[in-house]
């Protein structure tokens, strides 16, 4: 299962994704954005970068919550 469609649009809100989906999405977005040109029919680089920032923020928030719950 993928968190995005063929145009790399999110299928679900980022907070609803499970941890492995977030990691997979982050890796995919980083891979796409590292290339000089985007694949055909994908969303603009600015939108993909915003999604990546939101994924990283969600991962950081989950890590913070996990640390606080262990303390």
């Amino acid at each position: 299962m993928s968190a995005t469609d063929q145009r790399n649009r999110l299928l679900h809100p980022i907070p609803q994704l499970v941890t492995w989906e977030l990691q997979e999405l982050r890796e995919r977005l980083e891979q796409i954005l590292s290339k000089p040109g985007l694949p055909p029919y994908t969303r603009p680089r600015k939108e993909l970068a915003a999604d990546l920032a939101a994924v990283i923020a969600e991962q950081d928030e989950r890590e913070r919550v996990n640390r606080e719950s262990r303390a």
Side-chain angles (χ1 to χ4, degrees):
M1 186 172 116
S2 179
T4 61
D5 65 10
Q6 291 178 336
R7 290 188 171 195
N8 294 307
R9 292 179 298 208
L10 295 174
L11 297 176
H12 306 285
I14 289 173
Q16 291 180 3
L17 300 177
V18 296
T19 303
W20 67 266
E21 288 174 317
L22 278 175
Q23 185 59 38
E24 183 180 274
L25 177 58
R26 180 178 179 165
E27 290 169 0
R28 185 172 182 186
L29 288 168
E30 287 174 339
Q31 180 184 31
I32 291 169
L33 290 168
S34 70
K35 297 177 182 178
L38 294 177
Y41 307 110
T42 195
R43 294 180 303 132
R45 185 175 295 276
K46 186 174 183 177
E47 290 179 21
L48 296 174
D51 286 349
L52 178 59
V55 167
I56 292 170
E58 180 68 22
Q59 288 178 317
D60 290 346
E61 176 63 14
R62 289 183 187 190
E63 180 60 31
R64 183 189 66 75
V65 169
N66 284 336
R67 276 195 314 266
E68 287 178 0
S69 69
R70 286 184 250 143

